Amino acid sequence: MSDQHDSESERREMSPSHKQAMVAGTEESRKISAYLELYEKHRPRKGRKVSKEELQSRLEEAESEIETASHLKKVQLMQACRDLKARIEALENTGNLKEAEDAFVKVVKSYSTRHGIEYDTWREYGVPAKVLKSGGMGGG
């Protein structure tokens, strides 16, 4: 029985290269996930682009109307203020997206190969073609 237990524990031990591959895979997954999460927050919106100054102006206007608004209108204006603040913050945090994009580009090809994710799938999700091309992913 002891011999059987010894052989089982030998089979369960991972080689150093397997451990390194697991760590690398986990790190790649983290980078892919971080980029996709930030990309969702910064995804280009349809319609005309609105400047930070215009958003700030809308926010100030909404905040000034809150005091004299009816109860229902007050709630709507409060939500509008929250939405405008989030959009302003997203415009201010584009540096984080660039860092995440740089990390994504370094791992997207190997991650895609390992997980069977094709170029067209990334494009369907919304990842820009230029980002995929920078990462060595060819067009579909």
Side-chain angles (χ1 to χ4, degrees):
M1 187 102 148
S2 174
D3 291 335
Q4 184 181 8
H5 180 69
D6 289 341
S7 64
E8 284 179 22
S9 64
E10 286 176 21
R11 280 186 275 153
R12 286 187 207 160
E13 286 188 31
M14 288 186 266
S15 69
S17 62
H18 187 188
K19 288 179 185 177
Q20 286 176 331
M22 286 182 64
V23 168
T26 300
E27 186 64 18
E28 283 183 358
S29 295
R30 187 188 63 73
K31 290 175 181 177
I32 296 288
S33 181
Y35 171 73
L36 295 177
E37 184 177 328
L38 282 173
Y39 181 75
E40 276 298 315
K41 290 180 182 177
H42 296 280
R43 185 183 291 258
R45 297 171 188 257
K46 293 183 179 180
R48 86 178 168 89
K49 297 211 183 260
V50 181
S51 70
K52 179 180 172 185
E53 292 75 23
E54 188 173 341
L55 292 172
Q56 190 66 43
S57 175
R58 288 183 193 174
L59 176 60
E60 290 168 6
E61 185 178 322
E63 287 174 335
S64 71
E65 291 179 29
I66 287 176
E67 272 189 50
T68 58
S70 67
H71 297 291
L72 185 56
K73 183 69 175 172
K74 188 178 288 194
V75 170
Q76 293 169 342
L77 287 167
M78 291 170 73
Q79 184 60 54
C81 288
R82 293 177 68 85
D83 295 344
L84 288 164
K85 287 175 183 176
R87 288 180 67 186
I88 291 168
E89 184 180 334
L91 287 174
E92 293 172 343
N93 291 332
T94 56
N96 295 341
L97 178 62
K98 180 65 178 139
E99 290 172 18
E101 183 179 294
D102 291 344
F104 176 86
V105 161
K106 290 177 183 173
V107 300
V108 67
K109 187 172 185 176
S110 62
Y111 182 89
S112 298
T113 299
R114 258 194 355 275
H115 293 280
I117 301 172
E118 298 175 356
Y119 172 91
D120 289 337
T121 303
W122 289 118
R123 290 294 297 130
E124 185 178 337
Y125 182 83
V127 176
K130 68 178 179 125
V131 172
L132 295 170
K133 185 176 180 182
S134 294
M137 298 286 294

